[in-house]
Amino acid sequence: MALAEEALRRQLGKYKFRDLTIEELKDVSKTYPNFTFSMNTYTFKDGSQKDLLNFSGTVPVKYGSSYNIPVRLWILDSHPFAPPLCFLKPTASMGIAVGKHVDARGRIYLPYLQNWSHPKSTLTGLIKEMIAKFEEELPLYSLSSSDAARQSELLSYIAKITEGETDMKSRSKIGSRNEGCFNKITVVGAGDLGIACVLAVAAKDVADKVVLLDLSEGAAKGGTMDLEIFAVPNVEISKDFSASADSKVVVLTVNSLGNAQTYLDVIQSNVDLFRGIIPAVSHYSQSAVLLVASHPVEVMTFVSWKLSSFPKSRVIGVGANLDSERFRYILTNLLKAEVLAKDAWVIGEQGEDKVPSWSSCNVAANQTEAMAARNSREKVANRAMEVLKGKGQRSWSVGLSVADLVDSILKDKRKVHSVSTLAKGCCNINSEVFLSLPCILGTSGVIEMVRLEEDPLVQEKLQSSAGSIHDLQQQLKL
């Protein structure tokens, strides 16, 4: 389609770099003549609106056969110094294949966009990379006729998100069912940890139904195949996010297996993976508690909270629950310090920086006795922590811990667990970071945070962990 340059020049009157933008659009029109251009109002997530140029069309992709993938690109008024906003534009017969470069809303994420820099980055270069990535992993698939009606509702939802709609209450509930007190959970990720969580939950008979979302490519293999062969009761294996609908708890166990070189790259790969998962599971289960077991748990719990728009009480990480249970067991059974174990917790950041703490203590009659009691307790705690260091965190161990947390949530036990929760406001922490702290859990997630005994050394370690986690989070691209 020929580019109406003069008309476009008038429409782009408010664009800061109109001439540069038009030159790029001319190149796009010459290379991809099927694209059409128009001005529309785009609503950003903060509610602000702008009239922006957008162009829609199809990009040719060879994935066995040849496909034309429909896309829509919004050009910001600061173009070419800011990358466009890119979306798939599926029809009612197309399903979105959530993956590394596409999330459940059809938003497209590419390295080219993340590394956008004028004049090296161009629209035609972006489309070429889009084609190359889609040829590695096709972003759309054909829906069966039985899924067509559901997809129409999903497309309506995607349209709202595309326009910046963020009100959770406005989202239609696709495939919702009134199942009363039916306790259903979903485990996302079919690796060793995911399968361990499924088996542990099944063994404890915690849920009426467990859905294992297998996001790996290809046919079922390994553990998922074995689950199918031996038909574990009340367990469903699926690759479709809609199978997770109306879950009370969604457990996230996935970790990126990319070729990242640095620790930051590894975490960014996980963030990219979560961008395609969290919006989907939070859409299908809008009242669920998200329980994060992916690594690093503090950062990925923060990412899940941000991407889901859920209240902080319904996004928690497995945190130090396993370490706390082991710590109390060691105190009680190995060191015969049952009184100390009663209110003992492992808190803070997973790894070497976790610290023991107590939620309450018996105040001694005088300061001398209090100091002696504290010193004695510290010696015992140090011995317990040394024993704890020798205990690894195997998949089955974490799976049992996850089942313990799911049990407390589904049965509204109001039991205290050390889980990763938003720590802002605790121990003079002013940043939005998640740390393990003792919390009362129920059907709505965290009901209340348990008050810890004041200890300057513990507070100092928590603040140090919060600072390093916050610095790391600032470097991530959400």
Side-chain angles (χ1 to χ4, degrees):
M1 181 177 180
L3 186 69
E5 185 174 340
E6 287 306 316
L8 192 59
R9 190 176 295 277
R10 290 193 298 271
Q11 290 177 320
L12 298 180
K14 293 184 178 180
Y15 273 58
K16 300 178 180 68
F17 309 100
R18 181 178 61 182
D19 291 342
L20 288 174
T21 301
I22 289 175
E23 287 302 313
E24 276 213 65
L25 295 176
K26 286 164 67 176
D27 288 339
V28 172
S29 183
K30 184 186 301 182
T31 310
Y32 304 98
N34 70 83
F35 276 97
T36 59
F37 300 84
S38 63
M39 292 292 293
N40 296 96
T41 301
Y42 186 91
T43 305
F44 294 89
K45 287 186 177 180
D46 62 1
S48 61
Q49 295 182 325
K50 274 189 179 182
D51 289 333
L52 296 178
L53 176 75
N54 68 91
F55 59 93
S56 303
T58 60
V59 295
V61 172
K62 289 184 178 181
Y63 192 85
S65 302
S66 295
Y67 298 91
N68 289 316
I69 305 298
V71 296
R72 186 181 194 183
L73 281 67
W74 293 83
I75 309 300
L76 299 177
D77 57 4
S78 53
H79 188 84
F81 294 94
L85 306 174
C86 305
F87 295 87
L88 293 171
K89 196 179 179 183
T91 66
S93 63
M94 297 177 179
I96 295 172
V98 175
K100 185 176 181 181
H101 302 300
V102 178
D103 68 16
R105 302 170 295 182
R107 180 77 180 266
I108 299 169
Y109 300 91
L110 298 171
Y112 201 94
L113 290 168
Q114 293 182 357
N115 301 317
W116 187 274
S117 176
H118 178 75
K120 180 178 65 175
S121 303
T122 63
L123 293 174
T124 51
L126 169 63
I127 295 173
K128 287 178 181 178
E129 174 161 307
M130 195 178 293
I131 292 170
K133 296 301 182 184
F134 289 170
E135 287 181 344
E136 294 174 4
E137 187 178 67
L138 205 62
L140 297 170
Y141 61 92
S142 296
L143 287 172
S144 63
S145 57
S146 62
D147 290 329
R150 176 182 289 173
Q151 179 68 0
S152 295
E153 293 184 53
L154 181 58
L155 290 176
S156 174
Y157 160 67
I158 291 172
K160 290 180 181 179
I161 293 296
T162 301
E163 299 299 322
E165 175 64 66
T166 58
D167 184 1
M168 295 294 293
K169 294 180 181 179
S170 72
R171 301 179 185 176
S172 60
K173 290 190 177 181
I174 297 174
S176 64
R177 303 179 303 278
N178 183 11
E179 300 192 20
C181 296
F182 187 78
N183 282 332
K184 173 183 175 181
I185 79 159
T186 293
V187 176
V188 183
D192 289 346
L193 178 55
I195 293 173
C197 290
V198 169
L199 294 176
V201 170
K204 287 179 72 73
D205 196 23
V206 172
D208 300 304
K209 183 176 182 180
V210 182
V211 174
L212 176 61
L213 274 184
D214 181 4
L215 303 183
S216 61
E217 296 181 2
K221 55 184 178 180
T224 52
M225 183 175 68
D226 294 338
L227 287 178
E228 290 181 341
I229 291 171
F230 295 103
V232 179
N234 304 320
V235 173
E236 175 189 347
I237 302 170
S238 178
K239 290 181 176 290
D240 188 342
F241 279 104
S242 65
S244 69
D246 301 315
S247 294
K248 299 287 183 65
V249 180
V250 176
V251 183
L252 296 139
T253 70
V254 290
N255 286 290
S256 175
L257 298 177
N259 298 316
Q261 298 297 313
T262 68
Y263 183 55
L264 179 61
D265 291 338
V266 171
I267 300 175
Q268 184 62 55
S269 294
N270 269 358
V271 172
D272 296 341
L273 190 62
F274 269 48
R275 274 203 300 251
I277 295 171
I278 300 300
V281 295
S282 59
H283 171 60
Y284 282 111
S285 301
Q286 296 177 21
S287 299
V289 174
L290 299 184
L291 179 56
V292 183
S294 303
H295 292 295
V297 67
E298 295 85 10
V299 176
M300 298 317 298
T301 307
F302 167 80
V303 170
S304 299
W305 176 53
K306 286 295 186 182
L307 293 177
S308 68
S309 298
F310 279 9
K312 62 182 182 181
S313 61
R314 288 201 285 118
V315 184
I316 60 179
V318 294
N321 182 61
L322 176 58
D323 283 330
S324 288
E325 295 299 328
R326 286 174 166 176
F327 183 58
R328 286 201 295 273
Y329 181 89
I330 292 166
L331 288 172
T332 300
N333 295 283
L334 301 185
L335 302 181
K336 308 302 179 183
E338 187 173 353
V339 174
L340 286 181
K342 182 181 178 182
D343 300 304
W345 304 99
V346 175
I347 63 171
E349 183 181 2
Q350 274 284 61
E352 295 298 318
D353 294 321
K354 59 194 174 192
V355 292
S357 185
W358 277 260
S359 54
S360 64
C361 66
N362 296 318
V363 180
N366 57 60
Q367 189 171 357
T368 302
E369 289 182 8
M371 182 65 70
R374 189 181 292 270
N375 289 339
S376 175
R377 187 184 69 184
E378 185 176 338
K379 290 179 181 178
V380 175
N382 288 339
R383 287 170 60 194
M385 290 298 285
E386 284 301 315
V387 176
L388 186 61
K389 285 180 180 178
K391 305 293 181 183
Q393 294 212 355
R394 304 289 188 268
S395 294
W396 61 267
S397 304
V398 180
L400 290 171
S401 176
V402 166
D404 181 44
L405 295 171
V406 171
D407 186 43
S408 288
I409 294 169
L410 291 183
K411 295 181 180 177
D412 201 26
K413 284 189 169 181
R414 309 296 175 104
K415 182 181 173 183
V416 182
H417 296 268
S418 182
V419 292
S420 303
T421 188
L422 187 64
K424 186 176 181 179
C426 174
C427 300
N428 296 318
I429 295 171
N430 298 317
S431 51
E432 291 183 336
V433 296
F434 282 70
L435 291 171
S436 286
L437 296 167
C439 297
I440 300 172
L441 297 186
T443 53
S444 58
V446 174
I447 297 171
E448 183 182 348
M449 192 183 299
V450 175
R451 186 179 180 85
L452 289 168
E453 173 187 317
E454 291 189 8
D455 185 328
L457 291 178
V458 170
Q459 291 194 11
E460 183 180 341
K461 287 187 176 181
L462 292 180
Q463 290 167 7
S464 175
S465 290
S468 61
I469 292 171
H470 179 67
D471 289 344
L472 181 59
Q473 289 172 176
Q474 293 295 100
Q475 299 176 66
L476 298 173
K477 299 173 181 177
L478 289 180

